[in-house]
Amino acid sequence: MKMNQWRTLSFALVCMLLIAVLSVPVLADEEASPWYFRDEETLMHGGTEYTLYEPYSPLGQTGTVFYYYSQGLGDYRTVYVNSPDAVYARVDGYLYATAEGIRALERLQEGEASQYFLYDASAPSCRVKLEMDLSGGFMKNGEKVILDVRDLENKIRYSLRGAETYGYYGCTYGEVYYLNGEYYYIHYLDLGNQYFDSDGYFSYRKGEVEAYRLSKNTVYKLLELVSDMDFISTEYVLLDGIDTDELAGDIFNSERGAFVVGMVVFGILLPLPLLIVGLAFPRSHRKGYPKYWYILAGVAALWMALSILLMVIVL
């Protein structure tokens, strides 16, 4: 008799745990993260390999659409990409690129851009797209002079930036400075490393630099371009994953939320009455067999403990 009762309780425990575990497949698709690290320097996605890349010149984003995989990595970090067919991916501020993406970035930093923009350095969201690279005209039509770099700091300036093939990243090729009623152009690609700080930005600490004083005709064309500058707005497009803003407002709108709710209901709330009964009935003279009620309470407690452990492991 006792053996049959023990088998019945064991069978009940197995059934209870199966009900809780059945909630796990809800997360199967999410746990198969679309992005993962093959090693410390290689990011993978759908068979495409992205290698950690450190540019030797500062890169700025010229793209206006930001695609991202919210919680795209297994540890729920967001992955930002340049397009659905990405050649660039950024995670925690680190840039990863395909082989073709790296070649495009190398060409860009060497001065081979596919398109050009003029930015207002004091308002980085204002720019105008150029029909051609203006640096050659600035130097050809300008008078070569020598300036003290300390005189240029905090002055009005406009940045000439080239963009790579995919139009997502740009590199500053030079800047126009307004100093003492005159406009001067400095072509950064012609300067040595001593003119830049450790982060690759033009340094204003000390020294002299070669610049080109722009002619009145060139200044007139420059100011026309400045007047045509537009404010650029950015758009964020979710490609895959969980929108954490929506998740905060409604826990049922995601697979993870459904899993949590299912585990709470079937793994904690359902065995709770059994735990209460198993602890209360042994004190009753009418119910008898206190040992078996304690066994029931133990089974319910084990059920709840395993459910909580499963949630900790999965989440």
Side-chain angles (χ1 to χ4, degrees), residues 11-58:
F11 178 74
L13 174 60
V14 172
C15 292
M16 293 172 184
L17 292 177
L18 283 175
I19 292 174
V21 171
L22 286 176
S23 301
V24 175
V26 172
L27 277 181
D29 291 339
E30 186 178 88
E31 289 302 314
S33 175
W35 295 83
Y36 65 93
F37 283 102
R38 192 179 67 188
D39 52 50
E40 294 182 357
E41 296 188 352
T42 308
L43 182 64
M44 301 294 297
H45 177 248
T48 303
E49 180 178 302
Y50 299 80
T51 304
L52 179 64
Y53 180 74
E54 297 183 10
Y56 48 85
S57 296

Side-chain angles (χ1 to χ4, degrees), residues 269-283:
L269 297 182
L270 190 60
L272 184 59
L274 301 180
L275 178 64
I276 296 174
V277 169
L279 293 176
F281 277 16
R283 301 174 182 275

Side-chain angles (χ1 to χ4, degrees), residues 87-140:
V87 295
Y88 308 122
R90 186 174 288 274
V91 180
D92 294 337
Y94 292 98
L95 173 60
Y96 298 82
T98 63
E100 178 53 41
I102 291 176
R103 285 193 291 269
L105 293 175
E106 295 289 339
R107 291 193 298 267
L108 172 68
Q109 294 170 91
E110 292 170 0
E112 299 180 27
S114 296
Q115 51 187 318
Y116 298 89
F117 297 91
L118 188 68
Y119 281 79
D120 186 338
S122 62
S125 295
C126 292
R127 75 179 186 188
V128 59
K129 187 174 182 179
L130 307 176
E131 295 182 358
M132 58 182 295
D133 181 6
L134 298 180
S135 60
F138 286 162
M139 292 184 287
K140 181 179 179 180

Side-chain angles (χ1 to χ4, degrees), residues 2 12 15 51 66 74 98 159 183 200 229 247 271 313:
K2 293 182 179 180
C15 292
T51 304
F66 296 81
T98 63
S159 302
Y183 287 87
M229 284 187 175
L247 181 61
I313 294 174

